[in-house]
Amino acid sequence: MTTRPRSATTSAWVVERPAPIASGPLRLVRRTTPEPGLHELLLTVRACGVCRTDLHLAEGDLAPRTPRCTPGHEVVGEVLAAGPDVEDLRIGDRVGAAWLARACGHCRHCRTARENLCPDSLYTGWDIHGGFAEHMLVDARFAYRLPEGWDDEDAAPLLCAGIIGYRALQRADVPPGGRLGIYGFGASAHLTAQLAIARGAEVHVVTRSSQAQRLALELGAASASAGVPPQPLDSAILFAPAGSLVPAALDALDRGGTLAIAGIHLSAIPPLDYDRHLFQERTVRSVTANTREDGRAYLAEAARLRPAVRVLRYGMQRADQALTDLAGGRINGVAVLIMQ
């Protein structure tokens, strides 16, 4: 496969040392533009969503796995070059790169359609360099073809906020026409709420942000407040990384209800009272990454539903400001970095 001309170096943000975002843990550097190896694509990054996981990595809530790693795992890119064994993608194709970057393919989890639990799995922006950069490598087997008609900045959040929300919704086990509580209303929640409503669920949002409450109601939520949902819930999803909300979410569940905890990081969970929070067959589930099938299924469903994506645009040179605004609660929707 031929390649397009490219510069010898590329601009990229790196986590110099994990620390509170206000202290400036990210640095903008130049490094050698990588060459694609077996199964790999070299992408020119066109847009990259900013996820709370990127903030967790920058601040050290998630321990670094790769020194001076480049964050970003909601990437829309154009194929600039490809390894010799890549056959189904061409130079100039637009593809997406997501959180799950690689899995071994032969462990018992991979063999049973649970590659998200693979002990040797690797993650974009944590184990390998991500999309806060001009260029990045992606395993072609884990890249996604994107729905036609989506702008780059609207498509980028689908690749984590959308996919993880899809898996969380599956794990929440919402019955047909059931009541779903959503705790926290950021990037993933605002996409998941629309998916749940389209499937027939009655959605109740709990968030402290008055802006987020207004957005939830605009998108079709039955209620949005900082307090207790007005009716017992069949299911709930916790998107906020606050373990203190787990008892409250369980308290709001009806008998037989399910709580899915969607974040990769969660602060400490207070003690639970068995009779009050767990008895009557209430269930607590975690959500761990996603499979490629989750990604393909969600993108196909999103292509039909066309969810509204509330995007705040930042130039790629302002990635540190985007994370600062996310930490400060100033993002109502999802921040997306645009390559200029």
Side-chain angles (χ1 to χ4, degrees):
M1 182 181 286
T2 59
T3 63
R4 289 182 176 176
R6 56 186 183 273
S7 61
T9 63
T10 190
S11 176
W13 288 92
V14 300
V15 179
E16 191 71 45
R17 53 173 184 81
I21 196 66
S23 67
L26 269 65
R27 294 286 183 274
L28 187 60
V29 302
R30 293 203 69 84
R31 62 174 178 233
T32 302
T33 303
E35 292 286 340
L38 289 176
H39 309 301
E40 287 186 330
L41 303 169
L42 175 65
L43 302 185
T44 297
V45 176
R46 291 164 47 159
C48 184
V50 179
C51 179
R52 187 162 292 275
T53 301
D54 300 317
L55 182 61
H56 291 321
L57 290 165
E59 296 195 318
D61 295 323
L62 296 180
R65 290 185 173 180
T66 298
R68 305 186 83 226
C69 192
T70 296
H73 55 273
E74 298 178 323
V75 186
V76 175
E78 181 180 332
V79 178
L80 182 63
D85 58 336
V86 177
E87 297 179 350
D88 58 342
L89 289 165
R90 299 180 178 276
I91 303 303
D93 283 351
R94 189 178 73 147
V95 301
W99 177 236
L100 181 65
R102 199 166 297 158
C104 76
H106 55 75
C107 70
R108 67 190 186 95
H109 302 290
C110 286
R111 293 197 311 269
T112 54
R114 297 178 296 157
E115 63 187 4
N116 61 309
L117 302 180
C118 173
D120 294 321
S121 54
L122 301 177
Y123 297 94
T124 309
W126 192 13
D127 296 293
I128 65 173
H129 293 310
F132 285 20
E134 288 180 299
H135 302 96
M136 66 172 287
L137 293 175
V138 60
D139 189 321
R141 298 166 298 181
F142 287 79
Y144 294 96
R145 292 189 180 275
L146 298 174
E148 296 294 331
W150 287 86
D151 292 338
D152 294 339
E153 58 263 37
D154 289 336
L158 305 182
L159 293 158
C160 179
I163 293 172
I164 293 300
Y166 171 89
R167 187 167 185 88
L169 187 58
Q170 300 293 94
R171 297 281 289 165
D173 202 17
V174 186
R179 300 181 189 127
L180 171 68
I182 291 180
Y183 289 77
F185 204 72
S188 191
H190 95 290
L191 293 173
T192 308
Q194 295 177 72
L195 180 59
I197 292 167
R199 290 180 175 184
E202 179 183 303
V203 172
H204 299 274
V205 171
V206 178
T207 175
R208 293 177 299 181
S209 166
S210 58
Q211 282 189 321
Q213 290 171 19
R214 287 193 294 272
L215 177 58
L217 294 173
E218 289 173 15
L219 295 175
S223 74
S225 71
V228 179
Q231 300 181 72
L233 304 172
D234 298 298
S235 304
I237 302 173
L238 176 58
F239 285 107
S244 59
L245 290 176
V246 170
L250 288 170
D251 229 3
L253 287 180
D254 205 348
R255 298 179 177 207
T258 299
L259 169 64
I261 300 174
I264 190 173
H265 169 76
L266 191 71
S267 59
I269 300 173
L272 300 177
D273 179 271
Y274 179 70
D275 286 341
R276 179 176 174 181
H277 298 127
L278 297 173
F279 193 53
Q280 302 294 348
E281 299 193 349
R282 294 175 178 87
T283 301
V284 181
R285 291 175 167 176
S286 65
V287 179
T288 300
N290 63 276
T291 66
R292 281 172 286 181
E293 183 52 38
D294 290 329
R296 288 188 285 265
Y298 173 69
L299 290 173
E301 198 161 352
R304 293 193 302 271
L305 298 177
R306 305 293 297 187
V309 186
R310 182 66 63 90
V311 172
L312 282 78
R313 296 165 179 81
Y314 293 77
M316 188 67 74
Q317 301 294 316
R318 299 181 64 224
D320 54 347
Q321 184 61 54
L323 284 178
T324 299
D325 290 346
L326 180 61
R330 292 184 289 275
I331 306 294
N332 188 29
V334 57
V336 178
L337 306 180
I338 307 298
M339 185 56 67
Q340 297 171 317

